[in-house]
Amino acid sequence: MKLQNLLQQRDKHITKHGVPECQRPTIPGIMSQRACTFYGARWVLAPIKNSLHLVHAPADCAFYGQNVRKKNYMILSTDLVEKDIIFGAAKKLEESIVEADKIFDSYDLVFVYATCTASQIGEDIEWSIKRVKDRVNKILIPVVVPGFSGYSQADGHHIAQRAIANYILKNFKKTGEIENSVNIIGEYNVAGESQAIKRLLEKIGINVICTYTGDCCLSQMEKSVNARLNLLLCRSSGLLLAQFMKERFSIPYMEVSFYGIENTITSLKKIAKFFGKEKAAEIVADEEFSKIKHKIQFFKSKLQGKKAIVLLGASRIGFMTNAFKEAGLEILVCGSQFGCSNDYEIARCILPDSILVDDFNCAEVEEIILRFSPDLFIGGTREWYLSHKFGVPFLVLPQETKPYACFEGFLHLLIDVYKEVFAPVWRLI
């Protein structure tokens, strides 16, 4: 394929006006930064406590899926080999499920994944699960996620949510609403962010029952159907679950964000209004902000006008770019690996004059760095070293330091951005 033709095909995915074309397959031949549907499912399911994860595939898939958000999780594999591909491996899968049940008897759930290889040869993991479910003491959940079942990890997020809804939550019954209670959906406890949000809500008298899925187990999920309200933090990895719980258990949901002072105060007031705790929210917000006000002003004065490139996941491009803009950064380019039109519409409202990029690739990242010479690059691990090679400071998300959520989290964010931008090493370049 000629470069000119390739650029023409990508033209609608990169725009300075309106919303880029999105939710499309990656153009063949491009080194996309996207991940597969299996990894998208792992992103949602891996953190669930007391759960086993058995991958019906060659060992490579299990190796790929064991590390999620820079944390290693135990993962099992049926280790399909050539003989299994030719003659089928249903018996092998059934034996693996039974064996896992015996070895790990204290676990509550077993997620059984079918990836590309198993799906290509027609392995029916749902049928295998039905055959052995009476021989095990755990809830068995099929997760069919071959790479060809979607365009990116976002489709894996959706499949994982449906698995939780159809094989876990569907079995529960609502016994009565728990006063002043919420669930958090689409939050994954990066660097302790779930705890930071919980502590803030507790200060206004709101209790968190379950955090899907950064801090949850089977018993918390069962109790979660009695919550009064669901707080949706990430649309890509939580919207379907929130919609299911609204339809099934009549639990309304509210989209919120705890990144940045403005977002945190707005979200806190929205939640407080629902529960009739407006005065408590106002007092808490004033107290929390007053503790860090002067430090925030210092770092914002240092970062004001610094040029930044932000290339993240889906919903993050909305609530995180607003936080970076509040920090004083001038965002020249904002992109997502797998954003939907709604994500880009939110980003466009926040960044009316910035370039928006969908499904960015390595060549485009290099071109963006060379063309704009940013003071800071904000993105995932894949862009980290590429940015450093061009002498550009880099802030990696998900972060490895402290929580960025809520009031004190915003201060942590400012400190980390300041450290990256003003690191002495950049003076040598």
Side-chain angles (χ1 to χ4, degrees):
M1 181 182 293
K2 292 182 180 180
L3 181 60
Q4 188 178 358
N5 293 335
L6 187 64
L7 292 174
Q8 286 175 351
Q9 289 186 55
R10 286 286 297 158
D11 185 54
K12 293 181 180 179
H13 295 263
I14 306 171
T15 180
K16 195 170 182 179
H17 306 285
V19 173
E21 191 172 275
C22 55
Q23 294 175 292
R24 298 286 189 273
T26 298
I27 298 170
I30 282 182
M31 291 298 291
S32 173
Q33 305 294 72
R34 287 175 171 176
C36 66
T37 50
F38 165 62
Y39 195 77
R42 290 289 298 151
W43 193 262
V44 175
L45 301 175
I48 297 175
K49 297 172 184 175
N50 284 340
S51 63
L52 289 174
H53 300 262
L54 175 62
V55 184
H56 190 43
D60 313 63
C61 286
F63 179 79
Y64 174 53
Q66 69 178 341
N67 188 285
V68 179
R69 298 181 195 88
K70 300 169 190 170
K71 181 179 178 181
N72 276 323
Y73 291 90
M74 183 183 73
I75 193 166
L76 311 174
S77 174
T78 53
D79 188 21
L80 297 184
V81 294
E82 186 177 2
K83 180 182 176 182
D84 302 318
I85 308 303
I86 296 170
F87 296 106
K91 186 178 179 181
K92 189 175 189 178
L93 173 60
E94 292 164 18
E95 290 173 351
S96 297
I97 294 171
V98 174
E99 183 181 4
D101 176 64
K102 290 178 181 177
I103 296 172
F104 304 99
D105 60 320
S106 63
Y107 286 70
D108 300 316
L109 308 165
V110 182
F111 291 97
V112 183
Y113 303 82
T115 59
C116 298
T117 307
S119 299
Q120 282 177 324
I121 63 173
E123 292 287 294
D124 189 345
I125 63 169
E126 294 183 17
W127 178 74
S128 294
I129 283 173
K130 287 178 182 178
R131 282 174 53 88
V132 299
K133 67 177 182 179
D134 295 330
R135 297 165 59 190
V136 300
N137 298 313
K138 297 174 178 58
I139 298 174
L140 303 176
I141 303 136
V143 186
V144 183
V145 279
F148 48 82
S149 61
Y151 300 147
S152 69
Q153 58 265 53
D155 298 284
H157 296 162
H158 303 158
I159 293 168
Q161 290 173 75
R162 292 190 192 101
I164 293 172
N166 294 331
Y167 291 92
I168 301 178
L169 295 182
K170 219 171 188 178
N171 300 320
F172 299 145
K173 291 184 178 179
K174 190 167 186 171
T175 56
E177 282 188 350
I178 300 172
E179 282 300 309
N180 299 323
S181 63
V182 299
N183 299 312
I184 301 174
I185 301 178
E187 162 56 36
Y188 299 99
N189 201 23
V190 174
E193 288 183 342
S194 294
Q195 279 69 39
I197 296 169
K198 283 181 182 179
R199 287 193 295 269
L200 181 63
L201 293 175
E202 284 170 0
K203 288 180 179 179
I204 64 169
I206 306 297
N207 296 313
V208 177
I209 297 175
C210 182
T211 301
Y212 288 92
T213 57
D215 185 19
C216 74
C217 61
L218 184 62
S219 60
Q220 290 171 318
M221 289 183 190
E222 185 172 8
K223 194 177 177 183
S224 73
V225 302
N226 298 309
R228 283 204 61 202
L229 177 67
N230 283 330
L231 304 180
L232 178 62
L233 270 68
C234 176
R235 290 179 63 88
S236 178
S237 60
L239 180 59
L240 293 181
L241 205 54
Q243 290 174 336
F244 173 84
M245 294 182 78
K246 181 180 180 180
E247 182 180 337
R248 184 85 173 186
F249 305 110
S250 302
I251 304 174
Y253 68 88
M254 178 186 295
E255 292 191 51
V256 296
S257 169
F258 293 96
Y259 295 95
I261 301 298
E262 292 177 7
N263 284 341
T264 301
I265 291 175
T266 301
S267 297
L268 202 59
K269 287 182 177 179
K270 282 171 62 179
I271 298 165
K273 186 177 181 181
F274 181 88
F275 288 99
K277 296 178 179 289
E278 293 96 325
K279 188 63 178 176
E282 189 176 334
I283 293 170
V284 168
D286 289 341
E287 286 180 352
E288 292 295 312
F289 182 57
S290 63
K291 294 176 186 176
I292 56 175
K293 182 179 180 180
H294 296 297
K295 290 181 180 179
I296 283 178
Q297 288 174 344
F298 168 78
F299 287 110
K300 285 177 71 172
S301 67
K302 294 293 183 180
L303 298 172
Q304 193 67 40
K306 294 294 182 184
K307 297 181 293 181
I309 306 297
V310 180
L311 300 178
L312 299 170
S315 300
R316 278 182 173 265
I317 64 171
F319 54 73
M320 287 305 291
T321 48
N322 193 59
F324 290 126
K325 190 175 179 182
E326 188 179 354
L329 299 177
E330 180 188 352
I331 300 173
L332 304 176
V333 180
C334 178
S336 169
Q337 296 171 353
F338 51 90
C340 66
S341 57
N342 183 265
D343 298 321
Y344 289 114
E345 285 167 4
I346 295 170
R348 178 55 75 200
C349 290
I350 300 168
L351 308 168
D353 301 317
S354 301
I355 294 173
L356 299 184
V357 184
D358 177 70
D359 187 21
F360 51 89
N361 57 68
C362 289
E364 289 169 354
V365 170
E366 289 187 25
E367 178 66 25
I368 287 167
I369 293 172
L370 291 170
R371 181 175 295 188
F372 293 98
S373 300
D375 298 303
L376 179 67
F377 195 127
I378 302 163
T381 309
R382 291 174 180 171
E383 298 83 46
W384 192 348
Y385 299 104
L386 180 63
S387 178
H388 280 180
K389 286 177 181 178
F390 284 96
V392 177
F394 191 89
L395 182 72
V396 65
L397 291 175
Q399 72 276 16
E400 299 173 320
T401 52
K402 295 180 179 179
Y404 288 166
C406 305
F407 293 94
E408 193 172 355
F410 184 60
L411 178 59
H412 296 155
L413 173 63
L414 290 176
I415 292 171
D416 284 353
V417 171
Y418 177 84
K419 285 179 178 178
E420 292 296 335
V421 172
F422 293 98
V425 67
W426 306 120
R427 300 174 195 161
L428 304 175
I429 298 175

